[in-house]
Structures are given as C-alpha cells and as structure tokens.
Amino acid sequence: MRFALPLVALTVAAAPLAAQDYHFTHQIAAGGDLRIDNINGAVDVVPAAGRVAEVTVVKTVKRGDGNMVKAIMEETGNGIRVCTIYVNRDPSRHTCSGDNNNDSRHGDNFEVEMHYTVHVPAGARLQVDDVNGGVSVRDVDTDANINTVNGSIDFTGTTASRLETVNGHINAALSRAAWSGTLSMSTVNGGIDITLPAGANTAIHGTTVNGGLSSPDFPITISKGWGPKSLDGQIGSGGRQLNVETVNGGITLHKH
C-alpha cells in the first residue's frame, strides 16, 4: 500500500545566497516528480538524505546583464520543477513556460552560466533537460530521464528510463536492471559505455554508424546476428528492452 505524503514547500521563493545564487527545498514523496530545466551550465545530481529535495543554482555572469537570467521553482501536481528562465523579452515573467531566447540581433547580448546541484530523494522520478551543459548523476535510487544537447551524461544509479544527448558521450552504470518497458540511450557525436549487473535480463538492440560494438565480459545471446555496426540479442532471459544508438562513436557493454 502506498501512502502519499503532502507536498509541503519549505522554501517557495529563491533567496540570494551570494553572487545571485539560488536555493530551493521541497518535500517530495516516493513516486513524486523532480524536474530540472537548464539552458547553459552543468547539472550535478546526488542523493538526498531524506524526503526533502534541495536544488542550489550558482549563477556566473560571463557577459552582459546577469539580471536577464533567473532560476525559479514551480510546484507541480506531484512535485516541483526548477528551471532557468530568460526575462529579456518579458521582465515580469515568473513561470517556466515562455521564450528562452538570447539573440544578439535583437539586442540581447548576455552570457550567463547556471550550475545546478540537485539532491534528489530516493524513489522520486527525476527528469533533467539541459541545452549547453553536461549532466552528472551519482548513486541515485530513482527513475531517471536525462536529456542534454551539448554535453556528456555520466550516470550511476539503480535504474533509468532514458539517457540522451547529441554532442557528448554517455557513461552509464546501473546497479539494477529494473526499468519498465524500454530504456533508451542515444547520442550522435560520442560513444556509449554501459555497465549492467551480472544478473541482468534484457533484450538489446544496438546500432552505430562510425564506431564498433563490443561486450568484452558480458555474454549476449544473438537473435538476429552480430555485425560490425548493429546487434540484436538478449542478456540473460531477455524481457525488458534496452536500445542503444550512436552515430559517431562505439558501444561497449560491461558487467559488474
């Protein structure tokens, strides 16, 4: 039986710490949502000590007016969303929804980096969306959905549902092969290195264009053939699906 804890905001507004830093806290029940949306800057995620999620955002102004960039927190139906927003087009903006556009052709001449450090409670559902920045997730016990465009993903944790980037590598070490349905890992410019537990059971589909496929210490039963650029097979008894795709990079499978 699952009991839903009330979502109580401990801090509902950002209070500057130093140099326009932000700090947010919020209690999140198991199964609740913690969503992070960033534009420029890295996101680092580690476990929380209890049920309170903590998000600290350090702002670094590299050029222009740093007041054009803010971090805010919104409560959702089952958790919180913390996001970076641009207020150059709407100075009164106070929501994650809106236009995040920095275009020098319109007089927008600023460059601001926002570095997120996130403490996520066990059992929460974590979603991170970034544009220009790497994402590091360390030793979390949560369902994770991680996306960035220009940056690598380094992940260690119990399980995940999606790890995707465009320009960067993916290093993923899962302590449990416990995802539901399909786990997707994909990049365009970068390799993918995956470590699964010895008792993992999953079907696997892997493709690369300019790279190789290797599984030096994890036995795979081939179902459709192992080629230099693609494979379809299963680990253990199969079941859940693992899709791994890259264009410019190799794919390597390891066993704990």
Side-chain angles (χ1 to χ4, degrees), residues 80-131:
I80 60 169
R81 179 182 183 185
V82 181
C83 63
T84 298
I85 64 170
Y86 288 1
V87 297
N88 51 317
R89 306 299 172 84
D90 181 6
S92 63
R93 178 181 172 188
H94 58 277
T95 174
C96 291
S97 300
D99 181 18
N100 290 316
N101 187 12
N102 177 13
D103 189 344
S104 60
R105 294 174 298 177
H106 293 87
D108 303 329
N109 186 23
F110 58 87
E111 182 182 358
V112 178
E113 181 179 283
M114 305 286 271
H115 184 176
Y116 280 66
T117 300
V118 180
H119 292 76
V120 57
R125 294 182 297 188
L126 173 68
Q127 179 173 336
V128 177
D129 292 289
D130 204 348
V131 179

mmCIF file of all heavy atoms in Angstrom, residues 80-131:
data_model
loop_
_atom_site.group_PDB
_atom_site.id
_atom_site.type_symbol
_atom_site.label_atom_id
_atom_site.label_comp_id
_atom_site.label_asym_id
_atom_site.label_seq_id
_atom_site.Cartn_x
_atom_site.Cartn_y
_atom_site.Cartn_z
ATOM 1 N N ILE A 80 7.916 19.172 -7.935
ATOM 2 C CA ILE A 80 8.376 20.514 -8.278
ATOM 3 C C ILE A 80 9.134 20.505 -9.596
ATOM 4 O O ILE A 80 9.645 19.476 -10.041
ATOM 5 C CB ILE A 80 9.296 21.118 -7.188
ATOM 6 C CG1 ILE A 80 10.548 20.260 -6.979
ATOM 7 C CG2 ILE A 80 8.540 21.350 -5.905
ATOM 8 C CD1 ILE A 80 11.618 20.919 -6.121
ATOM 9 N N ARG A 81 9.188 21.696 -10.183
ATOM 10 C CA ARG A 81 10.001 21.953 -11.362
ATOM 11 C C ARG A 81 10.860 23.176 -11.056
ATOM 12 O O ARG A 81 10.342 24.217 -10.646
ATOM 13 C CB ARG A 81 9.112 22.220 -12.566
ATOM 14 C CG ARG A 81 9.856 22.538 -13.866
ATOM 15 C CD ARG A 81 8.846 22.840 -14.967
ATOM 16 N NE ARG A 81 9.482 23.077 -16.258
ATOM 17 C CZ ARG A 81 8.820 23.448 -17.360
ATOM 18 N NH1 ARG A 81 7.499 23.636 -17.302
ATOM 19 N NH2 ARG A 81 9.466 23.637 -18.498
ATOM 20 N N VAL A 82 12.179 23.044 -11.229
ATOM 21 C CA VAL A 82 13.096 24.165 -11.058
ATOM 22 C C VAL A 82 13.727 24.434 -12.413
ATOM 23 O O VAL A 82 14.235 23.512 -13.064
ATOM 24 C CB VAL A 82 14.179 23.874 -10.004
ATOM 25 C CG1 VAL A 82 15.099 25.081 -9.828
ATOM 26 C CG2 VAL A 82 13.547 23.494 -8.666
ATOM 27 N N CYS A 83 13.687 25.706 -12.848
ATOM 28 C CA CYS A 83 14.101 25.995 -14.213
ATOM 29 C C CYS A 83 14.879 27.296 -14.296
ATOM 30 O O CYS A 83 14.764 28.171 -13.430
ATOM 31 C CB CYS A 83 12.883 26.076 -15.142
ATOM 32 S SG CYS A 83 11.747 27.415 -14.743
ATOM 33 N N THR A 84 15.676 27.405 -15.361
ATOM 34 C CA THR A 84 16.325 28.652 -15.744
ATOM 35 C C THR A 84 15.403 29.377 -16.717
ATOM 36 O O THR A 84 14.897 28.766 -17.663
ATOM 37 C CB THR A 84 17.668 28.376 -16.426
ATOM 38 O OG1 THR A 84 18.533 27.702 -15.491
ATOM 39 C CG2 THR A 84 18.339 29.669 -16.879
ATOM 40 N N ILE A 85 15.196 30.679 -16.485
ATOM 41 C CA ILE A 85 14.372 31.457 -17.400
ATOM 42 C C ILE A 85 15.114 32.714 -17.832
ATOM 43 O O ILE A 85 15.932 33.261 -17.099
ATOM 44 C CB ILE A 85 13.012 31.845 -16.782
ATOM 45 C CG1 ILE A 85 13.193 32.764 -15.571
ATOM 46 C CG2 ILE A 85 12.220 30.604 -16.412
ATOM 47 C CD1 ILE A 85 11.893 33.362 -15.071
ATOM 48 N N TYR A 86 14.823 33.154 -19.064
ATOM 49 C CA TYR A 86 15.300 34.439 -19.570
ATOM 50 C C TYR A 86 14.144 35.442 -19.487
ATOM 51 O O TYR A 86 13.030 35.141 -19.918
ATOM 52 C CB TYR A 86 15.733 34.322 -21.035
ATOM 53 C CG TYR A 86 17.015 33.556 -21.272
ATOM 54 C CD1 TYR A 86 17.737 32.983 -20.232
ATOM 55 C CD2 TYR A 86 17.508 33.391 -22.561
ATOM 56 C CE1 TYR A 86 18.911 32.276 -20.468
ATOM 57 C CE2 TYR A 86 18.690 32.689 -22.818
ATOM 58 C CZ TYR A 86 19.380 32.133 -21.762
ATOM 59 O OH TYR A 86 20.536 31.438 -22.009
ATOM 60 N N VAL A 87 14.428 36.617 -18.941
ATOM 61 C CA VAL A 87 13.386 37.638 -18.791
ATOM 62 C C VAL A 87 13.627 38.827 -19.721
ATOM 63 O O VAL A 87 13.002 39.866 -19.567
ATOM 64 C CB VAL A 87 13.290 38.115 -17.323
ATOM 65 C CG1 VAL A 87 12.883 36.967 -16.422
ATOM 66 C CG2 VAL A 87 14.597 38.724 -16.847
ATOM 67 N N ASN A 88 14.526 38.661 -20.710
ATOM 68 C CA ASN A 88 14.817 39.770 -21.620
ATOM 69 C C ASN A 88 13.630 40.160 -22.480
ATOM 70 O O ASN A 88 13.491 41.312 -22.883
ATOM 71 C CB ASN A 88 16.032 39.438 -22.504
ATOM 72 C CG ASN A 88 15.908 38.087 -23.178
ATOM 73 O OD1 ASN A 88 15.497 37.100 -22.565
ATOM 74 N ND2 ASN A 88 16.292 38.012 -24.449
ATOM 75 N N ARG A 89 12.733 39.216 -22.786
ATOM 76 C CA ARG A 89 11.553 39.528 -23.587
ATOM 77 C C ARG A 89 10.327 39.848 -22.724
ATOM 78 O O ARG A 89 9.363 40.422 -23.212
ATOM 79 C CB ARG A 89 11.233 38.364 -24.527
ATOM 80 C CG ARG A 89 12.414 37.930 -25.401
ATOM 81 C CD ARG A 89 12.904 39.045 -26.316
ATOM 82 N NE ARG A 89 14.128 38.701 -26.992
ATOM 83 C CZ ARG A 89 14.189 37.993 -28.107
ATOM 84 N NH1 ARG A 89 13.085 37.526 -28.659
ATOM 85 N NH2 ARG A 89 15.353 37.750 -28.672
ATOM 86 N N ASP A 90 10.369 39.424 -21.451
ATOM 87 C CA ASP A 90 9.251 39.651 -20.545
ATOM 88 C C ASP A 90 9.795 39.872 -19.141
ATOM 89 O O ASP A 90 9.951 38.928 -18.366
ATOM 90 C CB ASP A 90 8.297 38.456 -20.577
ATOM 91 C CG ASP A 90 7.090 38.644 -19.669
ATOM 92 O OD1 ASP A 90 6.934 39.740 -19.108
ATOM 93 O OD2 ASP A 90 6.316 37.672 -19.521
ATOM 94 N N PRO A 91 10.081 41.118 -18.758
ATOM 95 C CA PRO A 91 10.673 41.402 -17.441
ATOM 96 C C PRO A 91 9.810 40.945 -16.266
ATOM 97 O O PRO A 91 10.332 40.716 -15.176
ATOM 98 C CB PRO A 91 10.818 42.934 -17.451
ATOM 99 C CG PRO A 91 10.877 43.306 -18.892
ATOM 100 C CD PRO A 91 9.958 42.336 -19.584
ATOM 101 N N SER A 92 8.512 40.777 -16.472
ATOM 102 C CA SER A 92 7.636 40.357 -15.383
ATOM 103 C C SER A 92 7.413 38.850 -15.342
ATOM 104 O O SER A 92 6.604 38.364 -14.551
ATOM 105 C CB SER A 92 6.278 41.067 -15.506
ATOM 106 O OG SER A 92 5.621 40.702 -16.713
ATOM 107 N N ARG A 93 8.111 38.124 -16.164
ATOM 108 C CA ARG A 93 7.919 36.676 -16.245
ATOM 109 C C ARG A 93 8.265 36.004 -14.924
ATOM 110 O O ARG A 93 9.287 36.285 -14.302
ATOM 111 C CB ARG A 93 8.782 36.111 -17.366
ATOM 112 C CG ARG A 93 8.691 34.605 -17.509
ATOM 113 C CD ARG A 93 9.591 34.108 -18.630
ATOM 114 N NE ARG A 93 9.654 32.670 -18.666
ATOM 115 C CZ ARG A 93 10.475 31.981 -19.447
ATOM 116 N NH1 ARG A 93 11.293 32.616 -20.263
ATOM 117 N NH2 ARG A 93 10.478 30.657 -19.421
ATOM 118 N N HIS A 94 7.423 35.062 -14.508
ATOM 119 C CA HIS A 94 7.680 34.329 -13.272
ATOM 120 C C HIS A 94 7.233 32.866 -13.406
ATOM 121 O O HIS A 94 6.846 32.233 -12.428
ATOM 122 C CB HIS A 94 6.955 34.982 -12.102
ATOM 123 C CG HIS A 94 5.470 35.081 -12.296
ATOM 124 N ND1 HIS A 94 4.884 36.096 -13.004
ATOM 125 C CD2 HIS A 94 4.453 34.287 -11.879
ATOM 126 C CE1 HIS A 94 3.571 35.930 -13.024
ATOM 127 N NE2 HIS A 94 3.292 34.829 -12.352
ATOM 128 N N THR A 95 7.291 32.334 -14.619
ATOM 129 C CA THR A 95 6.896 30.948 -14.858
ATOM 130 C C THR A 95 7.912 30.262 -15.761
ATOM 131 O O THR A 95 8.596 30.919 -16.547
ATOM 132 C CB THR A 95 5.497 30.889 -15.510
ATOM 133 O OG1 THR A 95 5.189 29.537 -15.865
ATOM 134 C CG2 THR A 95 5.452 31.739 -16.779
ATOM 135 N N CYS A 96 7.993 28.938 -15.655
ATOM 136 C CA CYS A 96 8.911 28.183 -16.506
ATOM 137 C C CYS A 96 8.470 28.187 -17.965
ATOM 138 O O CYS A 96 9.293 27.998 -18.862
ATOM 139 C CB CYS A 96 9.020 26.740 -16.011
ATOM 140 S SG CYS A 96 9.861 26.562 -14.421
ATOM 141 N N SER A 97 7.184 28.405 -18.214
ATOM 142 C CA SER A 97 6.684 28.460 -19.580
ATOM 143 C C SER A 97 7.000 29.825 -20.186
ATOM 144 O O SER A 97 6.767 30.857 -19.552
ATOM 145 C CB SER A 97 5.177 28.222 -19.601
ATOM 146 O OG SER A 97 4.858 26.959 -19.066
ATOM 147 N N GLY A 98 7.531 29.838 -21.399
ATOM 148 C CA GLY A 98 7.851 31.104 -22.040
ATOM 149 C C GLY A 98 9.033 30.970 -22.977
ATOM 150 O O GLY A 98 9.579 29.881 -23.189
ATOM 151 N N ASP A 99 9.458 32.103 -23.533
ATOM 152 C CA ASP A 99 10.512 32.148 -24.544
ATOM 153 C C ASP A 99 11.868 32.321 -23.884
ATOM 154 O O ASP A 99 12.113 33.327 -23.216
ATOM 155 C CB ASP A 99 10.239 33.300 -25.516
ATOM 156 C CG ASP A 99 11.277 33.391 -26.623
ATOM 157 O OD1 ASP A 99 11.990 32.391 -26.838
ATOM 158 O OD2 ASP A 99 11.359 34.448 -27.265
ATOM 159 N N ASN A 100 12.755 31.335 -24.057
ATOM 160 C CA ASN A 100 14.140 31.451 -23.589
ATOM 161 C C ASN A 100 15.027 31.653 -24.801
ATOM 162 O O ASN A 100 15.595 30.716 -25.340
ATOM 163 C CB ASN A 100 14.559 30.199 -22.822
ATOM 164 C CG ASN A 100 13.854 30.085 -21.494
ATOM 165 O OD1 ASN A 100 13.731 31.062 -20.770
ATOM 166 N ND2 ASN A 100 13.368 28.898 -21.166
ATOM 167 N N ASN A 101 15.137 32.907 -25.236
ATOM 168 C CA ASN A 101 15.856 33.222 -26.470
ATOM 169 C C ASN A 101 16.831 34.358 -26.209
ATOM 170 O O ASN A 101 16.450 35.424 -25.737
ATOM 171 C CB ASN A 101 14.866 33.606 -27.568
ATOM 172 C CG ASN A 101 15.544 33.782 -28.917
ATOM 173 O OD1 ASN A 101 16.697 33.414 -29.082
ATOM 174 N ND2 ASN A 101 14.829 34.346 -29.868
ATOM 175 N N ASN A 102 18.085 34.120 -26.523
ATOM 176 C CA ASN A 102 19.130 35.134 -26.379
ATOM 177 C C ASN A 102 19.694 35.393 -27.764
ATOM 178 O O ASN A 102 20.554 34.669 -28.244
ATOM 179 C CB ASN A 102 20.217 34.641 -25.425
ATOM 180 C CG ASN A 102 21.368 35.615 -25.284
ATOM 181 O OD1 ASN A 102 21.271 36.762 -25.709
ATOM 182 N ND2 ASN A 102 22.450 35.162 -24.681
ATOM 183 N N ASP A 103 19.186 36.417 -28.442
ATOM 184 C CA ASP A 103 19.522 36.687 -29.837
ATOM 185 C C ASP A 103 20.134 38.076 -29.938
ATOM 186 O O ASP A 103 19.457 39.088 -29.721
ATOM 187 C CB ASP A 103 18.264 36.589 -30.704
ATOM 188 C CG ASP A 103 18.558 36.631 -32.191
ATOM 189 O OD1 ASP A 103 19.680 37.034 -32.563
ATOM 190 O OD2 ASP A 103 17.667 36.269 -32.983
ATOM 191 N N SER A 104 21.415 38.133 -30.280
ATOM 192 C CA SER A 104 22.119 39.423 -30.360
ATOM 193 C C SER A 104 21.531 40.323 -31.436
ATOM 194 O O SER A 104 21.685 41.543 -31.380
ATOM 195 C CB SER A 104 23.611 39.195 -30.611
ATOM 196 O OG SER A 104 23.816 38.495 -31.832
ATOM 197 N N ARG A 105 20.830 39.745 -32.411
ATOM 198 C CA ARG A 105 20.207 40.563 -33.455
ATOM 199 C C ARG A 105 19.087 41.428 -32.891
ATOM 200 O O ARG A 105 18.690 42.419 -33.485
ATOM 201 C CB ARG A 105 19.669 39.668 -34.569
ATOM 202 C CG ARG A 105 20.747 38.916 -35.344
ATOM 203 C CD ARG A 105 20.127 37.946 -36.326
ATOM 204 N NE ARG A 105 19.347 36.930 -35.628
ATOM 205 C CZ ARG A 105 18.648 35.975 -36.256
ATOM 206 N NH1 ARG A 105 18.646 35.915 -37.577
ATOM 207 N NH2 ARG A 105 17.953 35.089 -35.553
ATOM 208 N N HIS A 106 18.580 41.039 -31.738
ATOM 209 C CA HIS A 106 17.525 41.808 -31.092
ATOM 210 C C HIS A 106 18.065 42.574 -29.875
ATOM 211 O O HIS A 106 17.297 42.980 -29.003
ATOM 212 C CB HIS A 106 16.392 40.881 -30.654
ATOM 213 C CG HIS A 106 15.650 40.253 -31.786
ATOM 214 N ND1 HIS A 106 16.056 39.078 -32.367
ATOM 215 C CD2 HIS A 106 14.545 40.655 -32.471
ATOM 216 C CE1 HIS A 106 15.213 38.761 -33.347
ATOM 217 N NE2 HIS A 106 14.292 39.700 -33.432
ATOM 218 N N GLY A 107 19.370 42.743 -29.826
ATOM 219 C CA GLY A 107 19.959 43.487 -28.724
ATOM 220 C C GLY A 107 20.202 42.677 -27.475
ATOM 221 O O GLY A 107 20.535 43.241 -26.427
ATOM 222 N N ASP A 108 20.039 41.363 -27.544
ATOM 223 C CA ASP A 108 20.262 40.502 -26.386
ATOM 224 C C ASP A 108 21.729 40.071 -26.372
ATOM 225 O O ASP A 108 22.116 39.170 -27.120
ATOM 226 C CB ASP A 108 19.357 39.273 -26.453
ATOM 227 C CG ASP A 108 17.896 39.638 -26.553
ATOM 228 O OD1 ASP A 108 17.520 40.688 -26.005
ATOM 229 O OD2 ASP A 108 17.136 38.884 -27.179
ATOM 230 N N ASN A 109 22.512 40.701 -25.561
ATOM 231 C CA ASN A 109 23.946 40.431 -25.549
ATOM 232 C C ASN A 109 24.373 40.059 -24.134
ATOM 233 O O ASN A 109 24.972 40.856 -23.409
ATOM 234 C CB ASN A 109 24.723 41.650 -26.052
ATOM 235 C CG ASN A 109 26.214 41.358 -26.200
ATOM 236 O OD1 ASN A 109 26.604 40.202 -26.349
ATOM 237 N ND2 ASN A 109 27.030 42.384 -26.143
ATOM 238 N N PHE A 110 24.019 38.840 -23.730
ATOM 239 C CA PHE A 110 24.427 38.373 -22.405
ATOM 240 C C PHE A 110 24.763 36.888 -22.466
ATOM 241 O O PHE A 110 24.251 36.140 -23.298
ATOM 242 C CB PHE A 110 23.335 38.633 -21.359
ATOM 243 C CG PHE A 110 22.008 38.000 -21.652
ATOM 244 C CD1 PHE A 110 21.731 36.707 -21.250
ATOM 245 C CD2 PHE A 110 21.007 38.708 -22.320
ATOM 246 C CE1 PHE A 110 20.504 36.124 -21.516
ATOM 247 C CE2 PHE A 110 19.776 38.132 -22.581
ATOM 248 C CZ PHE A 110 19.521 36.841 -22.180
ATOM 249 N N GLU A 111 25.635 36.484 -21.606
ATOM 250 C CA GLU A 111 26.023 35.080 -21.470
ATOM 251 C C GLU A 111 26.129 34.765 -19.990
ATOM 252 O O GLU A 111 26.973 35.312 -19.287
ATOM 253 C CB GLU A 111 27.353 34.792 -22.162
ATOM 254 C CG GLU A 111 27.774 33.332 -22.081
ATOM 255 C CD GLU A 111 29.118 33.061 -22.739
ATOM 256 O OE1 GLU A 111 29.712 34.008 -23.299
ATOM 257 O OE2 GLU A 111 29.578 31.903 -22.675
ATOM 258 N N VAL A 112 25.244 33.902 -19.535
ATOM 259 C CA VAL A 112 25.149 33.571 -18.117
ATOM 260 C C VAL A 112 25.138 32.058 -17.966
ATOM 261 O O VAL A 112 24.371 31.360 -18.648
ATOM 262 C CB VAL A 112 23.880 34.174 -17.482
ATOM 263 C CG1 VAL A 112 23.781 33.777 -16.013
ATOM 264 C CG2 VAL A 112 23.886 35.698 -17.633
ATOM 265 N N GLU A 113 25.959 31.559 -17.087
ATOM 266 C CA GLU A 113 26.007 30.123 -16.807
ATOM 267 C C GLU A 113 25.336 29.845 -15.478
ATOM 268 O O GLU A 113 25.593 30.520 -14.482
ATOM 269 C CB GLU A 113 27.458 29.646 -16.776
ATOM 270 C CG GLU A 113 27.631 28.159 -16.518
ATOM 271 C CD GLU A 113 29.090 27.751 -16.525
ATOM 272 O OE1 GLU A 113 29.657 27.630 -17.624
ATOM 273 O OE2 GLU A 113 29.663 27.570 -15.426
ATOM 274 N N MET A 114 24.468 28.836 -15.468
ATOM 275 C CA MET A 114 23.758 28.428 -14.254
ATOM 276 C C MET A 114 24.148 26.985 -13.934
ATOM 277 O O MET A 114 23.850 26.060 -14.706
ATOM 278 C CB MET A 114 22.250 28.533 -14.467
ATOM 279 C CG MET A 114 21.781 29.911 -14.919
ATOM 280 S SD MET A 114 21.808 31.145 -13.607
ATOM 281 C CE MET A 114 20.164 30.913 -12.907
ATOM 282 N N HIS A 115 24.817 26.789 -12.816
ATOM 283 C CA HIS A 115 25.292 25.467 -12.408
ATOM 284 C C HIS A 115 24.366 24.926 -11.318
ATOM 285 O O HIS A 115 24.287 25.485 -10.226
ATOM 286 C CB HIS A 115 26.725 25.549 -11.901
ATOM 287 C CG HIS A 115 27.311 24.213 -11.557
ATOM 288 N ND1 HIS A 115 28.611 24.054 -11.155
ATOM 289 C CD2 HIS A 115 26.785 22.955 -11.563
ATOM 290 C CE1 HIS A 115 28.863 22.785 -10.920
ATOM 291 N NE2 HIS A 115 27.752 22.099 -11.159
ATOM 292 N N TYR A 116 23.682 23.831 -11.630
ATOM 293 C CA TYR A 116 22.719 23.226 -10.708
ATOM 294 C C TYR A 116 23.364 22.098 -9.920
ATOM 295 O O TYR A 116 24.019 21.213 -10.496
ATOM 296 C CB TYR A 116 21.542 22.637 -11.480
ATOM 297 C CG TYR A 116 20.491 23.620 -11.933
ATOM 298 C CD1 TYR A 116 20.779 24.596 -12.879
ATOM 299 C CD2 TYR A 116 19.196 23.550 -11.431
ATOM 300 C CE1 TYR A 116 19.808 25.492 -13.310
ATOM 301 C CE2 TYR A 116 18.202 24.440 -11.856
ATOM 302 C CZ TYR A 116 18.525 25.410 -12.799
ATOM 303 O OH TYR A 116 17.559 26.281 -13.213
ATOM 304 N N THR A 117 23.147 22.104 -8.606
ATOM 305 C CA THR A 117 23.458 20.960 -7.755
ATOM 306 C C THR A 117 22.149 20.500 -7.129
ATOM 307 O O THR A 117 21.467 21.277 -6.446
ATOM 308 C CB THR A 117 24.469 21.321 -6.663
ATOM 309 O OG1 THR A 117 25.687 21.781 -7.277
ATOM 310 C CG2 THR A 117 24.790 20.106 -5.803
ATOM 311 N N VAL A 118 21.800 19.244 -7.376
ATOM 312 C CA VAL A 118 20.476 18.722 -7.030
ATOM 313 C C VAL A 118 20.624 17.543 -6.078
ATOM 314 O O VAL A 118 21.386 16.614 -6.349
ATOM 315 C CB VAL A 118 19.724 18.275 -8.302
ATOM 316 C CG1 VAL A 118 18.343 17.743 -7.950
ATOM 317 C CG2 VAL A 118 19.635 19.426 -9.307
ATOM 318 N N HIS A 119 19.875 17.577 -4.968
ATOM 319 C CA HIS A 119 19.761 16.434 -4.064
ATOM 320 C C HIS A 119 18.369 15.839 -4.238
ATOM 321 O O HIS A 119 17.367 16.488 -3.916
ATOM 322 C CB HIS A 119 19.980 16.862 -2.612
ATOM 323 C CG HIS A 119 21.384 17.286 -2.310
ATOM 324 N ND1 HIS A 119 21.898 18.514 -2.693
ATOM 325 C CD2 HIS A 119 22.403 16.638 -1.674
ATOM 326 C CE1 HIS A 119 23.156 18.606 -2.288
ATOM 327 N NE2 HIS A 119 23.483 17.479 -1.679
ATOM 328 N N VAL A 120 18.306 14.615 -4.764
ATOM 329 C CA VAL A 120 17.018 14.005 -5.102
ATOM 330 C C VAL A 120 16.679 12.901 -4.100
ATOM 331 O O VAL A 120 17.510 12.026 -3.812
ATOM 332 C CB VAL A 120 17.032 13.449 -6.549
ATOM 333 C CG1 VAL A 120 18.148 12.430 -6.754
ATOM 334 C CG2 VAL A 120 15.686 12.860 -6.910
ATOM 335 N N PRO A 121 15.459 12.909 -3.536
ATOM 336 C CA PRO A 121 15.061 11.845 -2.599
ATOM 337 C C PRO A 121 14.923 10.495 -3.302
ATOM 338 O O PRO A 121 14.569 10.419 -4.483
ATOM 339 C CB PRO A 121 13.704 12.336 -2.076
ATOM 340 C CG PRO A 121 13.678 13.809 -2.337
ATOM 341 C CD PRO A 121 14.462 13.989 -3.606
ATOM 342 N N ALA A 122 15.182 9.441 -2.569
ATOM 343 C CA ALA A 122 15.033 8.088 -3.110
ATOM 344 C C ALA A 122 13.583 7.855 -3.520
ATOM 345 O O ALA A 122 12.642 8.279 -2.838
ATOM 346 C CB ALA A 122 15.455 7.059 -2.068
ATOM 347 N N GLY A 123 13.418 7.209 -4.671
ATOM 348 C CA GLY A 123 12.089 6.861 -5.138
ATOM 349 C C GLY A 123 11.375 7.956 -5.890
ATOM 350 O O GLY A 123 10.287 7.724 -6.428
ATOM 351 N N ALA A 124 11.944 9.159 -5.941
ATOM 352 C CA ALA A 124 11.342 10.218 -6.741
ATOM 353 C C ALA A 124 11.615 9.954 -8.221
ATOM 354 O O ALA A 124 12.545 9.225 -8.577
ATOM 355 C CB ALA A 124 11.898 11.580 -6.338
ATOM 356 N N ARG A 125 10.825 10.567 -9.077
ATOM 357 C CA ARG A 125 11.043 10.457 -10.517
ATOM 358 C C ARG A 125 11.789 11.702 -10.973
ATOM 359 O O ARG A 125 11.282 12.817 -10.874
ATOM 360 C CB ARG A 125 9.712 10.315 -11.251
ATOM 361 C CG ARG A 125 8.987 9.015 -10.930
ATOM 362 C CD ARG A 125 7.701 8.884 -11.694
ATOM 363 N NE ARG A 125 6.747 9.924 -11.336
ATOM 364 C CZ ARG A 125 5.481 9.944 -11.746
ATOM 365 N NH1 ARG A 125 5.024 8.981 -12.539
ATOM 366 N NH2 ARG A 125 4.671 10.917 -11.387
ATOM 367 N N LEU A 126 13.002 11.496 -11.483
ATOM 368 C CA LEU A 126 13.890 12.594 -11.834
ATOM 369 C C LEU A 126 13.888 12.826 -13.339
ATOM 370 O O LEU A 126 14.087 11.893 -14.116
ATOM 371 C CB LEU A 126 15.317 12.276 -11.375
ATOM 372 C CG LEU A 126 16.417 13.246 -11.815
ATOM 373 C CD1 LEU A 126 16.262 14.590 -11.139
ATOM 374 C CD2 LEU A 126 17.797 12.639 -11.523
ATOM 375 N N GLN A 127 13.677 14.071 -13.749
ATOM 376 C CA GLN A 127 13.822 14.448 -15.142
ATOM 377 C C GLN A 127 14.723 15.667 -15.222
ATOM 378 O O GLN A 127 14.489 16.673 -14.559
ATOM 379 C CB GLN A 127 12.479 14.765 -15.803
ATOM 380 C CG GLN A 127 12.624 15.191 -17.271
ATOM 381 C CD GLN A 127 11.296 15.335 -17.994
ATOM 382 O OE1 GLN A 127 10.302 14.726 -17.590
ATOM 383 N NE2 GLN A 127 11.280 16.121 -19.049
ATOM 384 N N VAL A 128 15.771 15.583 -16.056
ATOM 385 C CA VAL A 128 16.692 16.694 -16.283
ATOM 386 C C VAL A 128 16.734 16.983 -17.770
ATOM 387 O O VAL A 128 16.986 16.084 -18.582
ATOM 388 C CB VAL A 128 18.115 16.371 -15.777
ATOM 389 C CG1 VAL A 128 19.066 17.520 -16.098
ATOM 390 C CG2 VAL A 128 18.105 16.097 -14.274
ATOM 391 N N ASP A 129 16.488 18.246 -18.128
ATOM 392 C CA ASP A 129 16.610 18.710 -19.507
ATOM 393 C C ASP A 129 17.574 19.884 -19.530
ATOM 394 O O ASP A 129 17.353 20.894 -18.852
ATOM 395 C CB ASP A 129 15.252 19.140 -20.067
ATOM 396 C CG ASP A 129 14.297 17.969 -20.237
ATOM 397 O OD1 ASP A 129 14.542 17.149 -21.140
ATOM 398 O OD2 ASP A 129 13.325 17.883 -19.472
ATOM 399 N N ASP A 130 18.649 19.766 -20.310
ATOM 400 C CA ASP A 130 19.652 20.816 -20.415
ATOM 401 C C ASP A 130 19.908 21.071 -21.895
ATOM 402 O O ASP A 130 19.508 20.285 -22.761
ATOM 403 C CB ASP A 130 20.944 20.382 -19.703
ATOM 404 C CG ASP A 130 21.802 21.553 -19.263
ATOM 405 O OD1 ASP A 130 21.527 22.703 -19.698
ATOM 406 O OD2 ASP A 130 22.763 21.340 -18.505
ATOM 407 N N VAL A 131 20.558 22.191 -22.190
ATOM 408 C CA VAL A 131 20.910 22.509 -23.572
ATOM 409 C C VAL A 131 22.421 22.512 -23.730
ATOM 410 O O VAL A 131 22.981 21.698 -24.466
ATOM 411 C CB VAL A 131 20.300 23.858 -24.019
ATOM 412 C CG1 VAL A 131 20.707 24.156 -25.463
ATOM 413 C CG2 VAL A 131 18.786 23.838 -23.889
#
